[in-house]
């Protein structure tokens, strides 16, 4: 099952998305929110619901997610047991081609994600852009360590 993008509102996760993510009977396994103009508050609202969800794939690429929300997902990673793939790139916290205005913040995010993944072996991959054939796809640790 996939969720329609319009279910995420300006104030965060709508009631429908929240119910789907929190419902243990939900069959929702993919949440694809590409190019939805999501900001940190939207992503943070989703992240807080992930430990109780059955999601296997979360795609929040091509949004406006900054380092604070990435640090929050890294902190939650040990509690998110069903998630296998996160698509976090590109987003402003670590733009493509290393064109990063705040290298220190990007390094902090990468380090936090690696540490979070080391406490949760269910998250296997981070993808840059699965629809772009030139995309790098790989183990989360390998991908992020290249930036640390």
């Amino acid at each position: 099952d996939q969720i329609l993008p319009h279910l995420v509102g300006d104030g965060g996760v709508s009631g429908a998305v929240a119910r789907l993510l929190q419902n243990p009977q939900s069959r929702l396994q993919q949440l694809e929110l590409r190019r939805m103009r999501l900001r940190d508050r939207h992503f943070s609202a989703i992240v807080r619901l992930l430990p109780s969800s059955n999601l296997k794939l979360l795609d929040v690429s091509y949004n406006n997610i900054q380092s604070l929300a990435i640090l929050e997902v890294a902190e939650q990673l040990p509690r998110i047991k069903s998630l296998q793939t996160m698509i976090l790139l590109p987003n402003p916290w670590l733009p493509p081609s290393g064109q990063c205005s705040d290298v220190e913040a990007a390094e902090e995010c990468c380090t936090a994600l690696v540490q979070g993944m080391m406490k949760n072996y269910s998250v296997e991959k981070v993808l840059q852009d699965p629809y772009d054939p030139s995309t790098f796809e790989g183990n989360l640790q390998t991908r992020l360590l290249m930036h640390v």
Side-chain angles (χ1 to χ4, degrees):
D1 295 5
Q2 292 185 354
I3 194 84
L4 296 175
H6 67 276
L7 293 178
V8 176
D10 281 339
V13 180
S14 76
V17 171
R19 283 190 299 278
L20 282 169
L21 289 175
Q22 292 175 315
N23 182 352
Q25 307 298 317
S26 173
R27 294 181 31 211
L28 181 69
Q29 294 187 353
Q30 295 182 24
L31 185 57
E32 298 183 25
L33 299 169
R34 297 168 49 88
R35 300 181 193 275
M36 294 300 304
R37 296 188 212 125
L38 299 179
R39 297 185 176 275
D40 282 1
R41 72 177 184 272
H42 304 120
F43 185 52
S44 292
I46 292 166
V47 165
R48 286 190 288 275
L49 298 173
L50 290 178
S52 63
S53 79
N54 294 315
L55 278 186
K56 292 187 184 300
L57 179 136
L58 174 63
D59 180 351
V60 291
S61 58
Y62 296 98
N63 282 291
N64 193 24
I65 297 170
Q66 306 288 333
S67 57
L68 286 176
I70 297 301
L71 292 173
E72 185 171 345
V73 77
E75 184 179 311
Q76 290 289 334
L77 269 177
R79 293 180 279 288
I80 303 170
K81 298 304 180 192
S82 63
L83 195 63
Q84 296 173 354
T85 303
M86 290 187 299
I87 304 169
L88 300 174
L89 298 168
N91 268 299
W93 73 275
L94 187 62
S97 307
Q99 301 168 348
C100 188
S101 60
D102 191 350
V103 173
E104 189 174 305
E107 288 179 359
E108 181 182 4
C109 288
C110 290
T111 300
L113 285 168
V114 168
Q115 290 172 347
M117 198 208 84
M118 291 173 79
K119 296 175 185 172
N120 179 353
Y121 293 108
S122 71
V123 178
E124 299 168 355
K125 296 185 222 178
V126 66
L127 303 179
Q128 188 165 355
D129 180 358
Y131 304 103
D132 179 350
S134 65
T135 286
F136 176 90
E137 176 181 341
N139 177 285
L140 179 61
Q141 290 175 328
T142 304
R143 174 75 179 120
L144 295 175
L145 284 173
M146 291 181 359
H147 293 284
V148 175

